[in-house]
Amino acid sequence: MQTTEQWFIEQVLPLEGELTRYLLRVLSDKAEMEDLRQEVYVRVYESGTIRQRPATRYFVFAVARNLLIDRLRRQRVVTIDSFANLESLHLRSDEVPADRVLSGRQELARLETALNDLPPKCRAVFGLRKIEGLSQREAARRLGVTESTIEKQTGKAMRLLANSFLGANAEPAPASLPPLGARAR
Amino acid sequence: MTSASQTEREAAEWLARRESGTWSGADQAALDRWIAAATANRIALLRLETVWRKSDLLRDGPEPPASDAVDQAGGRYRAILSPLRRLRRAALGAAMAAAAVAGVILYPSWSPTPAEAYATPVGGFQKLPLADGSRVDLNTDTKLAVSLTASERTIRMEQGEAFFEVAKDRKRPFTVRAGGYRVVAVGTAFAVRMEGEGLDVAVTEGTVRVVREADNVTTLVLAGQTAVADRRGPVVRPAGIDELDATLAWRDGMLVFSESLLGDVVAEFNRYNRRQLRVEPSAAGVRVDGRFKATNLEGFLRLLEQGFGIRAAPAGDDALVLRRS
């Protein structure tokens, strides 16, 4: 039996790049988008319903769309622009590509890109800890820094790798509509 | 709700501390409390942990590092490549180039009618769309016959290896008969490889039943599992994503090895190529990692030479013997 965790890892997380671009059609602020993405994940996870592959995608994007609409409704002044963008949130079947599972080779290529994008210190720590398999203490000695620096850089590497690998840093897709300029507050 | 970026930072701190080497039961209890406090926490952790685990793929060789792996001045990470790593790196590059060139594999647009036989030559590969919407990928040197009737869908496999993506149809079970077994699926994806007396079944989606023809003893194989079935009966065990990916890499025309003995590697290549390789004892202990195009024997031999100093010498018609020079 598949657990909710496994389902989330295998079917929901791979949608992150697409989901990010989707949310950015309406929310131009990165932090705001990240908060909403977190909310989408929480709702999807808490629904506790494990779905099969194509259904998962529709479910995730339906939750995202509803949350976006809620958010726009709560704003006191809503610009015409944001409504126009909302229209573009209808999921047409032709823009929902078939589910793809990355092959090991594609995953490796993505990881390599993510690794190369790490800042130098972070990459050095990642290399020693993960690739060379050194302990935190050994890595600290090798680099002549404290263990707490290694720990901090490790945490940073985790965040940067995850965001890069999952496509969380996606730029907004060239939408059919211009991006939202002045947003209602 | 805590902001997403704050939650992510906290999750990273927890994970990094857990990896640090000093982690007590009390730490675990504190982490468990943090996770239980909000679903957002659990998700942030899952997200980071998933990619962190995946990044193990980047660890490309088992040997300990040579010294001076880090350029102190720039703090830059430089891998000191051992022969094995060089081989793997080169193989990766070659594999990607090959994949780029190979591009799309053409397949016939017709659908087979019932009880038709299909075969691939050595080194061949064929995508076979069936009339019921199922799809079959035939690997090298494979023979099978397809029969679709109103009540059942049956594939008789005579030899080789194939991957099946089965269209859902509860009224018509999809059965692969091979090596004294029936492998029965409803809507699912799995691979069957015939080898010697028995067969290997690898399931990537759904569930299949493996039934021994002789006594109808049935074993269930779930997604993410493989079963090795011989006369004594099937043995089921879990297979990691990496392993399944390696098992099915032939669908991209690739072979994937992870610390495999040269003898086993050569046996795999021999399935795909007319030119047969043999390994001399001097080279038998070599272990190979990497991804290779199954039909690119020249590339593989070049890598063996560069990485391990192993040369291929002609030995009769269409045969080469590998020895360490």
Side-chain angles (χ1 to χ4, degrees), chain A residues 29-46:
Chain A
D29 181 62
K30 185 166 171 267
E32 211 173 332
M33 179 280 294
E34 285 174 353
D35 288 348
L36 197 71
R37 192 174 65 204
Q38 173 176 273
E39 225 176 310
V40 172
Y41 282 161
V42 169
R43 294 272 179 110
V44 163
Y45 191 94
E46 285 181 346

Side-chain angles (χ1 to χ4, degrees), chain A residues 81-177:
Chain A
D81 267 4
S82 50
F83 267 126
N85 277 4
L86 205 53
E87 283 308 299
S88 77
L89 292 181
H90 282 294
L91 282 177
R92 295 194 313 269
S93 57
D94 61 346
E95 25 172 34
V96 183
D99 270 298
R100 273 182 326 128
V101 177
L102 286 185
S103 73
R105 187 176 62 227
Q106 289 166 314
E107 287 199 322
L108 189 60
R110 260 207 212 182
L111 283 167
E112 279 178 345
T113 311
L115 175 63
N116 287 332
D117 287 347
L118 289 180
K121 237 191 232 163
C122 230
R123 193 165 46 201
V125 170
F126 178 90
L128 289 176
R129 294 280 279 125
K130 196 81 169 177
I131 298 181
E132 312 293 349
L134 296 193
S135 72
Q136 181 161 297
R137 179 168 305 163
E138 290 167 328
R141 198 177 316 133
R142 188 80 76 81
L143 290 175
V145 297
T146 62
E147 281 197 46
S148 109
T149 303
I150 300 289
E151 197 176 302
K152 260 187 217 131
Q153 291 294 333
T154 305
K156 189 173 173 187
M158 286 171 173
R159 286 191 289 123
L160 294 174
L161 281 177
N163 286 321
S164 170
F165 179 81
L166 295 171
N169 302 328
E171 297 295 317
S176 47
L177 291 155

Side-chain angles (χ1 to χ4, degrees), chain A residues 16 34-35 38 41 45-46 104 107-108 111 120 124 129-132 136 142-143 151 158-159 163, chain B residues 1-2 4 8-9 16 19-20 39 42-43 47 52 54-57 59 65 70 72 75 77 245:
Chain A
E16 183 161 310
E34 285 174 353
D35 288 348
Q38 173 176 273
Y41 282 161
Y45 191 94
E46 285 181 346
E107 287 199 322
L108 189 60
L111 283 167
R129 294 280 279 125
K130 196 81 169 177
I131 298 181
E132 312 293 349
Q136 181 161 297
R142 188 80 76 81
L143 290 175
E151 197 176 302
M158 286 171 173
R159 286 191 289 123
N163 286 321
Chain B
M1 200 186 258
T2 316
E8 188 184 87
R9 260 169 221 284
E19 298 271 305
S20 74
T39 305
R42 179 188 299 274
I43 287 165
R47 196 173 161 273
W52 188 245
K54 263 196 216 299
S55 68
D56 284 345
L57 282 172
R59 185 175 35 217
V70 172
Q72 298 279 0
Y77 176 71
D245 187 58

Side-chain angles (χ1 to χ4, degrees), chain A residues 6-65:
Chain A
Q6 283 171 326
W7 169 73
F8 190 86
I9 290 170
E10 284 165 22
Q11 293 196 35
V12 180
L13 278 184
L15 300 173
E16 183 161 310
E18 259 177 273
L19 179 62
T20 300
R21 281 190 294 276
Y22 183 73
L23 296 175
L24 283 171
R25 288 197 212 162
V26 173
L27 304 172
S28 51
D29 181 62
K30 185 166 171 267
E32 211 173 332
M33 179 280 294
E34 285 174 353
D35 288 348
L36 197 71
R37 192 174 65 204
Q38 173 176 273
E39 225 176 310
V40 172
Y41 282 161
V42 169
R43 294 272 179 110
V44 163
Y45 191 94
E46 285 181 346
S47 82
T49 325
I50 295 173
R51 286 148 214 270
Q52 292 307 311
R53 226 169 255 290
T56 298
R57 169 189 298 275
Y58 280 101
F59 176 56
V60 168
F61 281 89
V63 169
R65 181 166 195 273

Side-chain angles (χ1 to χ4, degrees), chain B residues 29 34-35 61 66 75 91 110-111 120 152 154-157 215 227 229 236 262 264 279 306:
Chain B
W34 182 79
I35 292 171
W110 41 259
S111 295
T120 49
E152 58 181 22
T154 307
I155 312 279
R156 275 172 204 280
M157 252 177 103
D215 52 10
V236 179
L262 188 56
D264 297 335
V279 184
Q306 288 164 0

